[in-house]
Structure formats: structure tokens, C-alpha cells
Amino acid sequence: MLKGKHIIVGITGGIAAFKIATLVRLLIKRGAEVQVVMTPNAKEFITPVTLSALTGKPVVSEFFTANTGEWHSHVDLGLWADALVIAPATASTIGKMANGIADNMLVTTYLSAKAPVFIAPAMDLDMMAHPSTVRNIDLLRSYGNHIIEPAEGELASHLIGKGRMEEPENIVKVLDEFFSSSRPLSGKKILVTAGPTYERIDPVRFIGNFSTGKMGYALADAAARAGAEVTVISGPVSVSPSERSVKVIGVESACQMAKECERLFPETDIAIMCAAVADYAPAEFHETKMKRESRDTVTLELKRNPDIAATLGSMKKMNQKLVGFALETDHEDENALKKLHSKNLDMIVLNSLAVPGAGFATDTNKVTVFKADSSKIELPLMSKKDTAENIIRLLS
């Protein structure tokens, strides 16, 4: 599961740093691409030359290269990584990470990382047991970091106790198990629609809605993290996927979105219809701008747009899944269930505008999920990222 993964190995100034050459070698043997980031003190225990020779990449330690002034971007590193492993993690670095003290390249990279972070503490037993260290590790765990617990054994002080960094083979095993368990959709092709559609009235005006695409893109990112090959068919939005593997096809109108969905759906395993597609479009497009001065009132004749979910539902094969979204203001459950069955969906996600913090243009959402058997799962108000993770988990 590590083949092709981008892994940053962060090394701090502890005696266990000598083991990191083995860790790097094992990761590369598994097919990972490794970038080493060192604190200045780590160089006292293992040389950058050794690690650079193993990775084939220059080791990053300072914010810029002294002789050339070349800037090392911790932001770019954080975006590049699929995982960040900090081993050994000393008490000092753990304290800085827990409290956001960004005074070296490694901690700034940690604070910029979007990927999962694995921390392998290593220190003397009394330092390990100190209340401040215990608190800092608990704090890092509460942030969502993965703590690779140290083993018990003989330490550098020659005392016996807990604080010995876990062996490189076991660190690799932890990473392997993480990527195996967190990628239940590996090999699946997933299609997601996102954002609004714009239906043109004239060259400067359109019919649209308030969708920002945040929910659709969160679903695409969650599916990609679960191992799927993801394509987003997106209306006009200002957001973008955080997972670099997600492919985006931009469209404007409902008809354009329908055309792309019908083209891609036959080769898709799961399609998630999250876009807020306009139900109607102007029956006539005015080639020039409609002047306000020429009329006191305007009447627009509207025509019905294609129902993309229903069309895909009629095309769906036994081995495909189709997920719809419903945004309702009244008789919510009843209307959502009606759409679930009439459009041949496997699942429908109900949004309610009646709930503060849910719906369009928010960073949070509160949804109710109905499955094909009409079973109902209510999710609490949470971030759209967490909502997406829960929806993808229900599909896995």
C-alpha cells in the first residue's frame, strides 16, 4: 500500500535518529518516495549525506540554502506529502508541535501538512512520564495525529523503561496498515457532481443558485483519500480539490453537466450527484444584453432542464451505485424518499435549510441519509469534510 506514496520523514535530535536510515530504506523498498526534513540538532546524530544518498533527494533542514538563497517552502512540502512521519520525536519537538512553536523547518512543515501525521516519540523514561510530555502527546492525539507508542527497553541512559523509539519495521507496518484500512474504495471509479449550474439569460446574466461546491469537493477529496479514482464534474465555483489525484471537468449549464455525466457514467462504479443543478433554464437566450431602459418589466419563459440523477438511474447497472442529494424546505423526509425511489437511487442525502449552519455557503452541514431500503441515518452538525467522510464510509 506504500507504492507511489509521498512520505516526509522528519528527524529530530535524539540518539534513535541512527535508525532512520533503516526506516528510509524500508520505505523506499516498499515503493514510497521519501523526503527527509531534519532539525538542526538531528544532524549531530545522522548526516544529511547519508539520508540524501538513500532518498536521492537533498535533505531539507533550513528555510533557505545559505549559499544560493533558495527558499524551501514548507507549504509545498505539506501539500506534496501523503504522510508525515516524525521519528524520533523528542520531548522538545513534541512540545513545539503541540503548541505551534514554528521555529524550525520541521515544525513549520508539520503545521502546513494536510496529510496524516505519525509521531514516534523517543526519550528517557522520566521525560516520557513527565506530566508536560503526557499532556503534549495527548494534545497532539486530540488534533488527529497518530502516536506510534514507544517500546520498553534499555534506553540511552542505560535505564530500563518506556521511551525507546519503535523499530523501523514496525513503523512501516503501521503506515502499511493505515493506508490499507483507510482506502476501502481502492480501484473504484467515482463520479461526483459539484457546485451550481448557470443558465444564461443573455451574455451577462444567468439563473443560478447559492451553491459554493464545498460539499461536492469535500466528497471528492474523501473518496480520493479512500483510494478511489475520482472525477468531479463541476459548475462554476471558486473552490478546488485538496487531493491532487482528483480530476475536475468544468461545465456551466445543466445540459453540459448532463452530457458529461452520461458520457462518464457507464465506466463509473459510484456516482454522487451533489451539484445544485438548476431545474429550469430560459427558453430563449438573448444574444445581446437586455437593456433596462427599454422595458419596465421582463417576463422570462423557462424550460425544464434534464433530470441528471433520473437519467443515470435509468442507465444504472447492477454493479453500479447512484447517490442523490435533496435540499428540501418542507415535508423533507417524504420528498427525499420519493426521489430515492423514483430515480432508482441507492442512497439519498437530505439537506435541510431549516437547520442553522447547514446548506449553501457554509463550512458545516447537517444531513440525513436514506438508503434504498428506506432506512434512515441522521448525522449531527459537523464540518463538510467530516460529513463527506461519513457519507463515503457508508458507501464503502
Side-chain angles (χ1 to χ4, degrees):
M1 296 307 297
L2 298 180
K3 186 175 181 180
K5 292 290 183 292
H6 293 175
I7 298 179
I8 294 175
V9 174
I11 310 173
T12 71
I15 187 62
F18 80 91
K19 296 181 179 180
I20 303 308
T22 300
L23 174 62
V24 168
R25 184 173 176 275
L26 289 172
L27 290 171
I28 291 172
K29 191 174 181 180
R30 292 291 192 103
E33 190 176 341
V34 178
Q35 173 65 63
V36 171
V37 179
M38 304 177 74
T39 64
N41 286 340
K43 297 177 186 177
E44 302 295 327
F45 297 91
I46 186 169
T47 69
V49 174
T50 299
L51 297 161
S52 180
L54 289 171
T55 63
K57 295 177 181 291
V59 169
V60 176
S61 180
E62 309 296 339
F63 291 103
F64 59 90
T65 303
N67 58 340
T68 66
E70 180 187 0
W71 177 255
H72 300 137
S73 172
H74 55 279
V75 175
D76 289 346
L77 281 171
L79 293 171
W80 175 84
D82 292 307
L84 169 59
V85 182
I86 300 177
T90 60
S92 174
T93 294
I94 286 171
K96 290 177 180 180
M97 291 165 63
N99 295 283
I101 302 173
D103 65 349
N104 63 47
M105 190 66 186
L106 178 54
V107 178
T108 55
T109 300
Y110 160 73
L111 292 173
S112 299
K114 294 181 179 294
V117 178
F118 299 82
I119 302 166
M123 63 196 77
D124 199 60
L125 75 164
D126 293 319
M127 295 175 70
M128 189 71 204
H130 195 278
S132 64
T133 306
V134 172
R135 181 202 63 196
N136 286 334
I137 289 176
D138 285 343
L139 195 56
L140 288 173
R141 188 180 282 111
S142 75
Y143 295 159
N145 298 296
H146 304 268
I147 307 299
I148 303 175
E149 292 290 342
E152 293 194 17
E154 184 176 357
L155 307 172
S157 63
H158 302 299
L159 297 173
I160 307 295
K162 184 176 181 179
R164 184 185 180 96
M165 188 189 83
E166 185 57 274
E167 295 301 317
E169 292 81 1
N170 290 332
I171 294 175
V172 171
K173 185 179 178 182
V174 168
L175 291 171
D176 220 357
E177 289 176 350
F178 172 81
F179 282 111
S180 296
S181 64
S182 64
R183 297 175 70 83
L185 295 179
S186 186
K188 299 290 186 182
K189 289 186 177 181
I190 293 186
L191 177 66
V192 180
T193 64
T197 62
Y198 289 175
E199 312 300 332
R200 294 193 178 206
I201 299 170
D202 63 21
V204 298
R205 301 181 180 91
F206 62 86
I207 296 173
N209 56 62
F210 297 112
S211 174
T212 59
K214 289 180 180 180
M215 191 68 246
Y217 277 77
L219 284 162
D221 286 332
R225 286 191 292 271
E229 179 184 331
V230 183
T231 299
V232 179
I233 301 175
S234 176
V237 296
S238 59
V239 295
S240 58
S242 60
E243 297 296 319
R244 62 180 179 276
S245 64
V246 174
K247 179 182 177 183
V248 178
I249 298 174
V251 297
E252 180 177 275
S253 68
C255 288
Q256 291 170 353
M257 184 173 284
K259 183 179 179 180
E260 290 296 329
C261 285
E262 289 173 40
R263 180 177 69 86
L264 295 175
F265 185 62
E267 304 302 320
T268 296
D269 295 295
I270 302 171
I272 305 174
M273 301 289 100
C274 187
V277 181
D279 293 323
Y280 295 93
E284 178 187 3
F285 172 71
H286 296 264
E287 297 290 343
T288 59
K289 180 181 175 182
M290 297 169 63
K291 293 292 187 181
R292 181 178 61 178
E293 293 81 2
S294 64
R295 62 192 77 189
D296 293 326
T297 62
V298 174
T299 300
L300 286 178
E301 182 181 355
L302 302 178
K303 62 182 180 181
R304 190 190 301 272
N305 270 328
D307 188 328
I308 301 175
T311 300
L312 299 190
S314 67
M315 297 169 56
K316 189 178 68 167
K317 300 172 185 174
M318 290 293 292
N319 62 337
Q320 292 179 301
K321 289 183 180 179
L322 182 59
V323 179
F325 269 68
L327 180 62
E328 302 292 342
T329 57
D330 60 275
H331 305 291
E332 297 172 352
D333 289 12
E334 179 185 342
N335 287 331
L337 285 168
K338 183 178 178 181
K339 289 180 180 179
L340 173 72
H341 298 301
S342 67
K343 299 184 184 187
N344 194 26
L345 305 178
D346 296 281
M347 194 165 86
I348 193 164
V349 180
L350 171 64
N351 286 280
S352 172
L353 287 180
V355 178
F360 292 148
T362 65
D363 292 321
T364 55
N365 210 355
K366 184 181 188 304
V367 303
T368 302
V369 179
F370 293 94
K371 292 191 172 184
D373 61 2
S374 299
S375 60
K376 179 179 178 180
I377 302 161
E378 291 193 48
L379 299 178
L381 183 70
M382 61 181 81
S383 70
K384 286 186 174 175
K385 179 181 178 181
D386 289 340
T387 302
E389 295 285 353
N390 277 278
I391 292 169
I392 293 300
R393 197 172 295 120
L394 291 170
L395 286 168
S396 303

